[in-house]
Amino acid sequence: MKYASIKGTGSYLPEKIVTNDELAAMVDTSDEWIRERTGIHQRHRSADGEGTGQMAEAAARHAMDAAGVSPEDIDLIVLGTTTPDRVYPATACQVQARLGIAGCAAFDVQAVCSGFIYALGVAEKFIRTESATRALVIGADVHSRLLDWADRSTCILFGDGAGAVVIEASDEPGIMSSHLHADGRYEPLLYVDGSVADGYDAQSAGPAVTRMQGNEVFKVAVRTLGRIVDETLAANGLKRQAVDWLIPHQANLRIIQATAKKLRLPMDRVVVTVDKHGNTSAASVPLALDTAVRDGRIKRGEILLLEAFGGGFTWGSALVRF
Ligand code: ACO
């Protein structure tokens, strides 16, 4: 059995920045409320027509550059997204075509904010079982397109973006373990209106927008992420002191702080991008990872705990020797 190791990281953020003050001009909220309750100062919003596939391609190219590989070297593409450009074909297939390659497996996984962790866990298993040797793993979302701009409890939270890694077969770990979970009973707390069964158009099903009972989601997220920290450390026979960096899903600074507290990690060992990016859904973990790799905080050989929680509910983690 091989291990999978991360060879390169990349990301992409749309040019346009939306500040809290701009949102306060649209709904009854304030910069102060948003900063205090979420830690978000701003978020990026993709341009009209700039979809998940385009952003995913840009992040993937940056990751391949960092890894020193070209598209022809890739034999698997797994893309986490909840905002595919079309219901089908998969956005991973679109990215494959944009990269000018064909033949390798390419598919999307849909686990909302846990999308990248799910994609990484799946791709890792392909590599461990020697079904692939070099994979592009991408998380990309334009969650801004799934928002009710009159709902102040959701429209302030989300941003658009993409992040990617190249993982490769190796004799040494690498990804030490990955852990994926879901509990579909929580659908009423977090879902998008509308349904393919109803025809999926505005007239029959209403607009496809995010509906969330934020405070209920918050409580389950904190509890669940605490449990996944324990599970991940136990699976590797490690104590919490072994973790050099926490790279959490960036939904809310208070959720991130609670997980850091559980690990007793000081906040300067936690990668926080929620202030600048907001919640970019499947892109949030790889965007945070790439940010801290490129600014030199994360170094080769360090142990990283990646974790996420999102709609489904889904949640998961990966322990990585970088
Ligand atoms: N501005 C001002 N007031 C607001 C805003 C706003 N933007 N949004 C809500 N409020 C009000 C509410 O109406 C409520 O007012 P009331 O007391 O008069 O009824 C009050 O603020 C408190 O509302 P809560 O929902 O209890 O606020 P909370 O402190 O829980 O913060 C938030 C809300 C930020 C959504 C938080 O609950 C959260 O981050 N939840 C988790 C989100 C998450 O992790 N989602 C999973 C990933 S997302 C995905 O998978 C798609």
Short mmCIF file of all heavy atoms in Angstrom, two decimals, residues 23 27-34 36-40 82 111-114 141 143 146 151-158 189-192 210-219 221-222 225 249-255 279 281-282 308-314, ligand 1:
data_model
loop_
_atom_site.label_atom_id
_atom_site.label_comp_id
_atom_site.label_asym_id
_atom_site.label_seq_id
_atom_site.Cartn_x
_atom_site.Cartn_y
_atom_site.Cartn_z
N LEU A 23 -22.87 45.26 2.73
CA LEU A 23 -24.03 44.42 3.06
C LEU A 23 -24.99 45.16 3.98
O LEU A 23 -26.21 44.99 3.90
CB LEU A 23 -23.57 43.10 3.68
CG LEU A 23 -22.79 42.19 2.74
CD1 LEU A 23 -22.30 40.95 3.46
CD2 LEU A 23 -23.65 41.77 1.54
N VAL A 27 -29.14 44.99 3.93
CA VAL A 27 -30.00 44.36 4.96
C VAL A 27 -29.72 45.00 6.31
O VAL A 27 -28.72 45.70 6.48
CB VAL A 27 -29.76 42.81 5.06
CG1 VAL A 27 -30.32 42.08 3.87
CG2 VAL A 27 -28.27 42.50 5.25
N ASP A 28 -30.59 44.71 7.28
CA ASP A 28 -30.48 45.32 8.61
C ASP A 28 -29.38 44.61 9.41
O ASP A 28 -29.64 43.67 10.17
CB ASP A 28 -31.84 45.20 9.31
CG ASP A 28 -31.81 45.85 10.68
OD1 ASP A 28 -30.86 46.60 10.97
OD2 ASP A 28 -32.75 45.60 11.46
N THR A 29 -28.15 45.04 9.18
CA THR A 29 -27.01 44.47 9.90
C THR A 29 -25.95 45.56 10.04
O THR A 29 -26.17 46.71 9.64
CB THR A 29 -26.45 43.23 9.16
OG1 THR A 29 -25.50 42.59 10.02
CG2 THR A 29 -25.78 43.57 7.85
N SER A 30 -24.81 45.22 10.64
CA SER A 30 -23.74 46.21 10.78
C SER A 30 -22.39 45.51 10.71
O SER A 30 -22.30 44.31 11.01
CB SER A 30 -23.86 46.94 12.12
OG SER A 30 -23.65 46.00 13.17
N ASP A 31 -21.38 46.29 10.37
CA ASP A 31 -20.01 45.75 10.35
C ASP A 31 -19.67 45.18 11.72
O ASP A 31 -19.10 44.08 11.83
CB ASP A 31 -19.05 46.89 9.97
CG ASP A 31 -17.60 46.45 9.99
OD1 ASP A 31 -17.30 45.40 9.39
OD2 ASP A 31 -16.77 47.14 10.61
N GLU A 32 -20.07 45.90 12.77
CA GLU A 32 -19.76 45.48 14.14
C GLU A 32 -20.39 44.11 14.46
O GLU A 32 -19.74 43.21 14.98
CB GLU A 32 -20.27 46.55 15.10
CG GLU A 32 -19.78 46.35 16.51
CD GLU A 32 -20.51 47.28 17.48
OE1 GLU A 32 -21.39 48.06 17.05
OE2 GLU A 32 -20.21 47.21 18.68
N TRP A 33 -21.69 43.94 14.12
CA TRP A 33 -22.37 42.68 14.40
C TRP A 33 -21.67 41.53 13.66
O TRP A 33 -21.40 40.48 14.24
CB TRP A 33 -23.85 42.74 13.99
CG TRP A 33 -24.67 41.57 14.53
CD1 TRP A 33 -25.42 41.57 15.66
CD2 TRP A 33 -24.77 40.25 13.97
NE1 TRP A 33 -25.99 40.33 15.85
CE2 TRP A 33 -25.61 39.49 14.83
CE3 TRP A 33 -24.24 39.62 12.85
CZ2 TRP A 33 -25.95 38.16 14.59
CZ3 TRP A 33 -24.56 38.28 12.62
CH2 TRP A 33 -25.41 37.57 13.47
N ILE A 34 -21.39 41.75 12.39
CA ILE A 34 -20.82 40.66 11.58
C ILE A 34 -19.43 40.29 12.13
O ILE A 34 -19.12 39.10 12.30
CB ILE A 34 -20.75 41.04 10.09
CG1 ILE A 34 -22.15 41.35 9.55
CG2 ILE A 34 -20.10 39.93 9.28
CD1 ILE A 34 -22.18 41.93 8.14
N GLU A 36 -18.22 40.75 15.19
CA GLU A 36 -18.30 40.15 16.54
C GLU A 36 -18.85 38.73 16.51
O GLU A 36 -18.35 37.85 17.20
CB GLU A 36 -19.22 40.99 17.43
CG GLU A 36 -18.43 42.00 18.23
CD GLU A 36 -19.34 42.86 19.08
OE1 GLU A 36 -20.47 42.44 19.38
OE2 GLU A 36 -18.92 43.99 19.40
N ARG A 37 -19.89 38.48 15.70
CA ARG A 37 -20.54 37.17 15.73
C ARG A 37 -19.89 36.16 14.81
O ARG A 37 -20.10 34.96 14.97
CB ARG A 37 -22.01 37.30 15.33
CG ARG A 37 -22.85 38.13 16.26
CD ARG A 37 -23.01 37.44 17.60
NE ARG A 37 -23.89 38.20 18.46
CZ ARG A 37 -25.13 37.83 18.78
NH1 ARG A 37 -25.63 36.71 18.33
NH2 ARG A 37 -25.87 38.59 19.56
N THR A 38 -19.16 36.62 13.80
CA THR A 38 -18.62 35.66 12.82
C THR A 38 -17.11 35.78 12.60
O THR A 38 -16.48 34.84 12.14
CB THR A 38 -19.27 35.84 11.43
OG1 THR A 38 -18.81 37.08 10.86
CG2 THR A 38 -20.78 35.86 11.50
N GLY A 39 -16.53 36.95 12.86
CA GLY A 39 -15.11 37.18 12.55
C GLY A 39 -14.88 37.62 11.11
O GLY A 39 -13.74 37.85 10.70
N ILE A 40 -15.97 37.74 10.34
CA ILE A 40 -15.82 38.09 8.91
C ILE A 40 -15.74 39.61 8.74
O ILE A 40 -16.56 40.35 9.29
CB ILE A 40 -17.02 37.53 8.09
CG1 ILE A 40 -17.08 36.00 8.20
CG2 ILE A 40 -16.92 37.95 6.61
CD1 ILE A 40 -18.37 35.38 7.66
N THR A 82 -20.70 22.38 -4.22
CA THR A 82 -22.15 22.34 -4.07
C THR A 82 -22.78 23.26 -5.09
O THR A 82 -23.98 23.38 -5.19
CB THR A 82 -22.52 22.80 -2.64
OG1 THR A 82 -21.83 21.95 -1.75
CG2 THR A 82 -23.99 22.68 -2.35
N ALA A 111 -20.54 17.58 -0.61
CA ALA A 111 -20.63 17.47 0.85
C ALA A 111 -20.62 18.87 1.46
O ALA A 111 -20.16 19.08 2.57
CB ALA A 111 -19.50 16.63 1.41
N VAL A 112 -21.08 19.85 0.68
CA VAL A 112 -21.20 21.25 1.08
C VAL A 112 -19.86 21.72 1.67
O VAL A 112 -18.84 21.56 1.02
CB VAL A 112 -22.43 21.47 2.00
CG1 VAL A 112 -22.84 22.94 2.01
CG2 VAL A 112 -23.62 20.64 1.50
N CYS A 113 -19.86 22.24 2.89
CA CYS A 113 -18.61 22.82 3.41
C CYS A 113 -17.55 21.77 3.70
O CYS A 113 -16.37 22.11 3.88
CB CYS A 113 -18.89 23.66 4.64
SG CYS A 113 -19.94 25.07 4.27
N SER A 114 -17.94 20.49 3.78
CA SER A 114 -16.94 19.43 3.96
C SER A 114 -16.46 18.90 2.62
O SER A 114 -15.76 17.87 2.56
CB SER A 114 -17.53 18.27 4.76
OG SER A 114 -18.19 18.73 5.91
N ASP A 141 -16.43 26.79 -4.86
CA ASP A 141 -17.85 27.11 -4.74
C ASP A 141 -18.13 28.58 -5.04
O ASP A 141 -17.31 29.44 -4.72
CB ASP A 141 -18.36 26.81 -3.31
CG ASP A 141 -18.98 25.42 -3.19
OD1 ASP A 141 -19.79 25.06 -4.07
OD2 ASP A 141 -18.63 24.69 -2.25
N HIS A 143 -20.87 30.15 -3.64
CA HIS A 143 -22.04 30.08 -2.74
C HIS A 143 -22.86 31.36 -2.78
O HIS A 143 -24.04 31.38 -2.40
CB HIS A 143 -21.57 29.77 -1.31
CG HIS A 143 -22.54 28.91 -0.57
ND1 HIS A 143 -22.42 27.55 -0.44
CD2 HIS A 143 -23.71 29.21 0.04
CE1 HIS A 143 -23.44 27.07 0.22
NE2 HIS A 143 -24.25 28.05 0.52
N LEU A 146 -26.27 31.11 -4.15
CA LEU A 146 -27.31 30.34 -3.45
C LEU A 146 -27.83 31.12 -2.25
O LEU A 146 -28.18 30.53 -1.23
CB LEU A 146 -26.74 29.00 -2.96
CG LEU A 146 -26.34 27.97 -4.01
CD1 LEU A 146 -25.81 26.71 -3.33
CD2 LEU A 146 -27.52 27.61 -4.91
N ASP A 151 -32.04 37.96 3.39
CA ASP A 151 -31.93 37.19 4.64
C ASP A 151 -30.59 37.51 5.30
O ASP A 151 -29.55 36.97 4.95
CB ASP A 151 -32.06 35.69 4.33
CG ASP A 151 -31.87 34.82 5.57
OD1 ASP A 151 -31.69 35.38 6.68
OD2 ASP A 151 -31.90 33.59 5.42
N ARG A 152 -30.62 38.38 6.30
CA ARG A 152 -29.37 38.85 6.93
C ARG A 152 -28.64 37.74 7.69
O ARG A 152 -27.45 37.86 7.97
CB ARG A 152 -29.67 40.01 7.89
CG ARG A 152 -30.49 39.61 9.10
CD ARG A 152 -30.70 40.78 10.04
NE ARG A 152 -31.47 40.36 11.20
CZ ARG A 152 -31.73 41.12 12.23
NH1 ARG A 152 -31.29 42.37 12.25
NH2 ARG A 152 -32.42 40.67 13.24
N SER A 153 -29.37 36.67 8.02
CA SER A 153 -28.71 35.61 8.79
C SER A 153 -27.84 34.70 7.93
O SER A 153 -27.05 33.93 8.45
CB SER A 153 -29.74 34.80 9.57
OG SER A 153 -30.51 34.02 8.68
N THR A 154 -28.01 34.77 6.61
CA THR A 154 -27.16 33.94 5.73
C THR A 154 -26.33 34.75 4.73
O THR A 154 -25.20 34.38 4.43
CB THR A 154 -28.01 32.92 4.93
OG1 THR A 154 -29.06 33.64 4.27
CG2 THR A 154 -28.60 31.84 5.81
N CYS A 155 -26.88 35.87 4.23
CA CYS A 155 -26.19 36.53 3.12
C CYS A 155 -24.86 37.16 3.52
O CYS A 155 -24.01 37.43 2.68
CB CYS A 155 -27.09 37.57 2.43
SG CYS A 155 -27.31 39.09 3.37
N ILE A 156 -24.67 37.35 4.83
CA ILE A 156 -23.40 37.96 5.30
C ILE A 156 -22.28 36.94 5.43
O ILE A 156 -21.13 37.30 5.63
CB ILE A 156 -23.61 38.61 6.68
CG1 ILE A 156 -24.20 37.56 7.66
CG2 ILE A 156 -24.56 39.81 6.57
CD1 ILE A 156 -23.63 37.61 9.01
N LEU A 157 -22.63 35.64 5.34
CA LEU A 157 -21.65 34.62 5.75
C LEU A 157 -20.73 34.14 4.63
O LEU A 157 -19.58 33.79 4.88
CB LEU A 157 -22.39 33.38 6.29
CG LEU A 157 -23.23 33.58 7.56
CD1 LEU A 157 -24.01 32.29 7.87
CD2 LEU A 157 -22.34 33.95 8.74
N PHE A 158 -21.24 34.12 3.40
CA PHE A 158 -20.56 33.34 2.37
C PHE A 158 -19.77 34.18 1.37
O PHE A 158 -20.13 35.31 1.07
CB PHE A 158 -21.58 32.47 1.61
CG PHE A 158 -22.20 31.42 2.49
CD1 PHE A 158 -23.41 31.66 3.13
CD2 PHE A 158 -21.57 30.22 2.69
CE1 PHE A 158 -23.98 30.70 3.96
CE2 PHE A 158 -22.13 29.25 3.52
CZ PHE A 158 -23.34 29.49 4.15
N LEU A 189 -32.04 21.68 9.28
CA LEU A 189 -31.29 22.81 9.85
C LEU A 189 -30.47 23.56 8.81
O LEU A 189 -30.02 24.69 9.06
CB LEU A 189 -30.35 22.33 10.97
CG LEU A 189 -30.99 21.72 12.21
CD1 LEU A 189 -29.93 21.47 13.27
CD2 LEU A 189 -32.08 22.63 12.77
N LEU A 190 -30.24 22.94 7.65
CA LEU A 190 -29.36 23.57 6.64
C LEU A 190 -29.59 22.91 5.29
O LEU A 190 -29.26 21.73 5.11
CB LEU A 190 -27.89 23.40 7.10
CG LEU A 190 -26.78 23.96 6.21
CD1 LEU A 190 -26.99 25.43 5.91
CD2 LEU A 190 -25.42 23.77 6.89
N TYR A 191 -30.20 23.66 4.38
CA TYR A 191 -30.51 23.08 3.07
C TYR A 191 -30.72 24.21 2.07
O TYR A 191 -30.80 25.39 2.45
CB TYR A 191 -31.77 22.20 3.14
CG TYR A 191 -33.01 22.95 3.56
CD1 TYR A 191 -33.88 23.50 2.61
CD2 TYR A 191 -33.28 23.17 4.91
CE1 TYR A 191 -35.00 24.23 3.01
CE2 TYR A 191 -34.41 23.89 5.31
CZ TYR A 191 -35.25 24.42 4.36
OH TYR A 191 -36.35 25.15 4.75
N VAL A 192 -30.82 23.83 0.81
CA VAL A 192 -31.14 24.80 -0.25
C VAL A 192 -32.54 24.49 -0.76
O VAL A 192 -32.86 23.33 -1.05
CB VAL A 192 -30.10 24.74 -1.38
CG1 VAL A 192 -30.56 25.52 -2.60
CG2 VAL A 192 -28.77 25.28 -0.89
N THR A 210 -30.08 29.29 0.26
CA THR A 210 -29.69 28.62 1.50
C THR A 210 -30.65 28.98 2.63
O THR A 210 -30.94 30.15 2.86
CB THR A 210 -28.26 29.06 1.87
OG1 THR A 210 -27.39 28.65 0.81
CG2 THR A 210 -27.80 28.44 3.17
N ARG A 211 -31.11 27.95 3.33
CA ARG A 211 -31.93 28.14 4.52
C ARG A 211 -31.18 27.51 5.69
O ARG A 211 -30.83 26.33 5.63
CB ARG A 211 -33.29 27.46 4.37
CG ARG A 211 -34.09 27.94 3.17
CD ARG A 211 -34.57 29.35 3.36
NE ARG A 211 -35.32 29.82 2.20
CZ ARG A 211 -35.45 31.10 1.87
NH1 ARG A 211 -34.87 32.04 2.59
NH2 ARG A 211 -36.16 31.46 0.83
N MET A 212 -30.92 28.29 6.72
CA MET A 212 -30.11 27.76 7.82
C MET A 212 -30.63 28.25 9.17
O MET A 212 -30.90 29.43 9.33
CB MET A 212 -28.65 28.19 7.65
CG MET A 212 -27.75 27.74 8.78
SD MET A 212 -26.00 27.86 8.40
CE MET A 212 -25.76 29.62 8.43
N GLN A 213 -30.72 27.32 10.11
CA GLN A 213 -30.97 27.71 11.51
C GLN A 213 -29.59 27.81 12.17
O GLN A 213 -29.09 26.86 12.77
CB GLN A 213 -31.85 26.68 12.21
CG GLN A 213 -33.29 26.71 11.70
CD GLN A 213 -34.17 25.73 12.45
OE1 GLN A 213 -34.04 25.54 13.64
NE2 GLN A 213 -35.08 25.11 11.72
N GLY A 214 -28.99 28.99 11.99
CA GLY A 214 -27.57 29.19 12.31
C GLY A 214 -27.18 28.79 13.71
O GLY A 214 -26.17 28.09 13.90
N ASN A 215 -27.97 29.20 14.71
CA ASN A 215 -27.54 28.91 16.09
C ASN A 215 -27.60 27.42 16.41
O ASN A 215 -26.77 26.91 17.15
CB ASN A 215 -28.29 29.76 17.12
CG ASN A 215 -29.78 29.78 16.87
OD1 ASN A 215 -30.28 29.00 16.06
ND2 ASN A 215 -30.50 30.64 17.55
N GLU A 216 -28.56 26.70 15.79
CA GLU A 216 -28.61 25.24 15.99
C GLU A 216 -27.42 24.57 15.29
O GLU A 216 -26.79 23.67 15.84
CB GLU A 216 -29.93 24.67 15.43
CG GLU A 216 -31.16 25.12 16.19
CD GLU A 216 -31.09 24.78 17.68
OE1 GLU A 216 -30.67 23.66 18.02
OE2 GLU A 216 -31.45 25.64 18.51
N VAL A 217 -27.13 25.04 14.07
CA VAL A 217 -25.98 24.49 13.34
C VAL A 217 -24.70 24.73 14.14
O VAL A 217 -23.85 23.85 14.27
CB VAL A 217 -25.85 25.14 11.94
CG1 VAL A 217 -24.62 24.62 11.20
CG2 VAL A 217 -27.11 24.89 11.10
N PHE A 218 -24.60 25.92 14.69
CA PHE A 218 -23.42 26.31 15.47
C PHE A 218 -23.15 25.29 16.58
O PHE A 218 -22.03 24.80 16.74
CB PHE A 218 -23.68 27.70 16.06
CG PHE A 218 -22.50 28.32 16.75
CD1 PHE A 218 -21.71 29.25 16.10
CD2 PHE A 218 -22.18 27.98 18.06
CE1 PHE A 218 -20.61 29.83 16.73
CE2 PHE A 218 -21.10 28.55 18.70
CZ PHE A 218 -20.30 29.48 18.03
N LYS A 219 -24.19 24.97 17.35
CA LYS A 219 -24.01 24.07 18.50
C LYS A 219 -23.55 22.69 18.06
O LYS A 219 -22.63 22.11 18.63
CB LYS A 219 -25.33 23.93 19.28
CG LYS A 219 -25.66 25.15 20.11
CD LYS A 219 -26.96 24.92 20.88
CE LYS A 219 -27.93 26.05 20.61
NZ LYS A 219 -29.31 25.80 20.92
N ALA A 221 -22.05 21.93 15.28
CA ALA A 221 -20.71 22.03 14.68
C ALA A 221 -19.63 22.00 15.75
O ALA A 221 -18.66 21.25 15.64
CB ALA A 221 -20.61 23.32 13.84
N VAL A 222 -19.80 22.78 16.81
CA VAL A 222 -18.78 22.83 17.87
C VAL A 222 -18.62 21.45 18.51
O VAL A 222 -17.50 20.95 18.68
CB VAL A 222 -19.16 23.89 18.93
CG1 VAL A 222 -18.29 23.77 20.17
CG2 VAL A 222 -19.05 25.30 18.34
N LEU A 225 -17.07 18.87 15.87
CA LEU A 225 -15.67 19.10 15.54
C LEU A 225 -14.77 18.73 16.71
O LEU A 225 -13.65 18.27 16.53
CB LEU A 225 -15.46 20.55 15.08
CG LEU A 225 -16.09 20.84 13.71
CD1 LEU A 225 -16.10 22.33 13.41
CD2 LEU A 225 -15.37 20.08 12.60
N HIS A 249 -12.24 24.46 8.71
CA HIS A 249 -13.23 25.10 7.84
C HIS A 249 -13.51 26.49 8.40
O HIS A 249 -13.64 26.68 9.61
CB HIS A 249 -14.50 24.25 7.81
CG HIS A 249 -15.63 24.94 7.09
ND1 HIS A 249 -15.46 25.52 5.86
CD2 HIS A 249 -16.91 25.15 7.46
CE1 HIS A 249 -16.61 26.07 5.49
NE2 HIS A 249 -17.50 25.86 6.44
N GLN A 250 -13.63 27.46 7.52
CA GLN A 250 -13.74 28.86 7.93
C GLN A 250 -15.20 29.31 7.85
O GLN A 250 -15.60 29.99 6.91
CB GLN A 250 -12.86 29.73 7.02
CG GLN A 250 -11.45 29.23 6.84
CD GLN A 250 -10.55 29.53 8.03
OE1 GLN A 250 -10.68 30.56 8.67
NE2 GLN A 250 -9.63 28.63 8.35
N ALA A 251 -16.01 28.88 8.83
CA ALA A 251 -17.42 29.30 8.83
C ALA A 251 -17.63 30.44 9.80
O ALA A 251 -18.37 31.39 9.50
CB ALA A 251 -18.32 28.13 9.21
N ASN A 252 -16.98 30.35 10.95
CA ASN A 252 -17.24 31.31 12.01
C ASN A 252 -16.04 31.28 12.97
O ASN A 252 -15.64 30.20 13.41
CB ASN A 252 -18.53 30.92 12.75
CG ASN A 252 -18.93 31.95 13.78
OD1 ASN A 252 -18.11 32.41 14.57
ND2 ASN A 252 -20.20 32.31 13.78
N LEU A 253 -15.47 32.43 13.26
CA LEU A 253 -14.28 32.48 14.12
C LEU A 253 -14.54 31.83 15.47
O LEU A 253 -13.66 31.19 16.05
CB LEU A 253 -13.83 33.94 14.30
CG LEU A 253 -12.54 34.14 15.09
CD1 LEU A 253 -11.36 33.43 14.43
CD2 LEU A 253 -12.23 35.62 15.25
N ARG A 254 -15.78 31.94 15.97
CA ARG A 254 -16.07 31.38 17.30
C ARG A 254 -16.04 29.84 17.26
O ARG A 254 -15.65 29.20 18.23
CB ARG A 254 -17.41 31.89 17.83
CG ARG A 254 -17.36 33.39 18.17
CD ARG A 254 -18.67 33.86 18.74
NE ARG A 254 -19.73 33.88 17.75
CZ ARG A 254 -21.00 33.50 17.96
NH1 ARG A 254 -21.37 33.08 19.14
NH2 ARG A 254 -21.88 33.55 17.00
N ILE A 255 -16.45 29.25 16.13
CA ILE A 255 -16.38 27.79 16.00
C ILE A 255 -14.90 27.38 15.92
O ILE A 255 -14.47 26.40 16.54
CB ILE A 255 -17.14 27.29 14.74
CG1 ILE A 255 -18.62 27.64 14.84
CG2 ILE A 255 -16.95 25.79 14.55
CD1 ILE A 255 -19.45 27.26 13.61
N ASN A 279 -17.10 32.46 4.50
CA ASN A 279 -17.23 31.01 4.34
C ASN A 279 -17.30 30.69 2.85
O ASN A 279 -18.31 30.96 2.20
CB ASN A 279 -18.50 30.54 5.07
CG ASN A 279 -18.72 29.05 4.95
OD1 ASN A 279 -18.03 28.37 4.20
ND2 ASN A 279 -19.67 28.53 5.70
N SER A 281 -17.26 27.73 1.64
CA SER A 281 -17.81 26.37 1.51
C SER A 281 -16.69 25.37 1.20
O SER A 281 -15.71 25.32 1.93
CB SER A 281 -18.93 26.39 0.46
OG SER A 281 -19.70 25.24 0.54
N ALA A 282 -16.78 24.61 0.11
CA ALA A 282 -15.78 23.57 -0.15
C ALA A 282 -14.38 24.14 -0.37
O ALA A 282 -13.38 23.42 -0.27
CB ALA A 282 -16.19 22.75 -1.37
N ALA A 308 -13.53 19.92 8.72
CA ALA A 308 -14.65 20.71 8.19
C ALA A 308 -15.98 20.14 8.65
O ALA A 308 -16.08 18.96 9.00
CB ALA A 308 -14.59 20.75 6.67
N PHE A 309 -16.99 21.00 8.61
CA PHE A 309 -18.35 20.64 8.99
C PHE A 309 -19.30 21.39 8.06
O PHE A 309 -19.06 22.58 7.79
CB PHE A 309 -18.61 21.08 10.44
CG PHE A 309 -19.99 20.76 10.92
CD1 PHE A 309 -20.26 19.56 11.55
CD2 PHE A 309 -21.03 21.66 10.74
CE1 PHE A 309 -21.54 19.26 12.00
CE2 PHE A 309 -22.31 21.37 11.17
CZ PHE A 309 -22.57 20.17 11.81
N GLY A 310 -20.32 20.73 7.57
CA GLY A 310 -21.23 21.46 6.67
C GLY A 310 -22.55 20.77 6.48
O GLY A 310 -22.88 19.79 7.15
N GLY A 311 -23.31 21.29 5.52
CA GLY A 311 -24.65 20.79 5.22
C GLY A 311 -24.63 19.30 4.98
O GLY A 311 -23.68 18.73 4.45
N GLY A 312 -25.71 18.68 5.38
CA GLY A 312 -25.81 17.21 5.27
C GLY A 312 -26.54 16.63 6.47
O GLY A 312 -27.58 16.05 6.31
N PHE A 313 -26.01 16.85 7.71
CA PHE A 313 -24.69 17.35 8.00
C PHE A 313 -23.61 16.39 7.52
O PHE A 313 -23.80 15.18 7.59
CB PHE A 313 -24.49 17.58 9.50
CG PHE A 313 -25.26 18.74 10.07
CD1 PHE A 313 -25.61 18.77 11.41
CD2 PHE A 313 -25.64 19.82 9.28
CE1 PHE A 313 -26.31 19.84 11.95
CE2 PHE A 313 -26.33 20.90 9.82
CZ PHE A 313 -26.67 20.90 11.15
N THR A 314 -22.50 16.96 7.12
CA THR A 314 -21.30 16.19 6.82
C THR A 314 -20.18 16.75 7.67
O THR A 314 -20.19 17.93 8.01
CB THR A 314 -20.91 16.34 5.35
OG1 THR A 314 -20.76 17.74 5.08
CG2 THR A 314 -21.93 15.73 4.41
N1 ACO B 1 -27.07 41.26 11.65
C1 ACO B 1 -27.69 41.60 12.78
N2 ACO B 1 -28.45 40.76 13.48
C2 ACO B 1 -28.55 39.50 13.02
C3 ACO B 1 -27.92 39.06 11.84
C4 ACO B 1 -27.15 40.00 11.14
N3 ACO B 1 -26.50 39.69 10.00
N4 ACO B 1 -28.21 37.76 11.63
C5 ACO B 1 -29.00 37.37 12.65
N5 ACO B 1 -29.21 38.42 13.48
C6 ACO B 1 -30.01 38.47 14.71
C7 ACO B 1 -31.09 37.41 14.76
O1 ACO B 1 -32.24 37.84 14.08
C8 ACO B 1 -31.30 37.31 16.25
O2 ACO B 1 -32.11 38.37 16.66
P1 ACO B 1 -33.23 38.15 17.82
O3 ACO B 1 -32.43 37.79 19.04
O4 ACO B 1 -33.90 39.49 17.89
O5 ACO B 1 -34.10 37.04 17.34
C9 ACO B 1 -29.90 37.55 16.84
O6 ACO B 1 -29.16 38.20 15.81
C10 ACO B 1 -29.18 36.27 17.25
O7 ACO B 1 -29.29 35.34 16.18
P2 ACO B 1 -28.51 33.97 16.21
O8 ACO B 1 -28.86 33.20 14.99
O9 ACO B 1 -28.76 33.29 17.53
O10 ACO B 1 -27.00 34.51 16.15
P3 ACO B 1 -25.66 33.72 16.33
O11 ACO B 1 -24.84 34.35 17.36
O12 ACO B 1 -25.92 32.22 16.43
O13 ACO B 1 -24.91 33.98 14.94
C11 ACO B 1 -24.47 32.79 12.88
C12 ACO B 1 -25.51 33.57 13.71
C13 ACO B 1 -23.35 33.72 12.57
C14 ACO B 1 -25.16 32.30 11.61
C15 ACO B 1 -23.94 31.57 13.70
O14 ACO B 1 -25.01 30.90 14.30
C16 ACO B 1 -23.15 30.58 12.88
O15 ACO B 1 -22.06 30.86 12.44
N6 ACO B 1 -23.69 29.35 12.72
C17 ACO B 1 -22.95 28.24 12.09
C18 ACO B 1 -22.83 28.39 10.61
C19 ACO B 1 -22.13 27.15 10.07
O16 ACO B 1 -21.14 26.69 10.60
N7 ACO B 1 -22.70 26.55 9.02
C20 ACO B 1 -22.12 25.28 8.54
C21 ACO B 1 -21.34 25.47 7.34
S1 ACO B 1 -22.26 26.30 6.11
C22 ACO B 1 -22.69 25.13 4.89
O17 ACO B 1 -22.42 23.96 5.00
C23 ACO B 1 -23.46 25.67 3.72
#
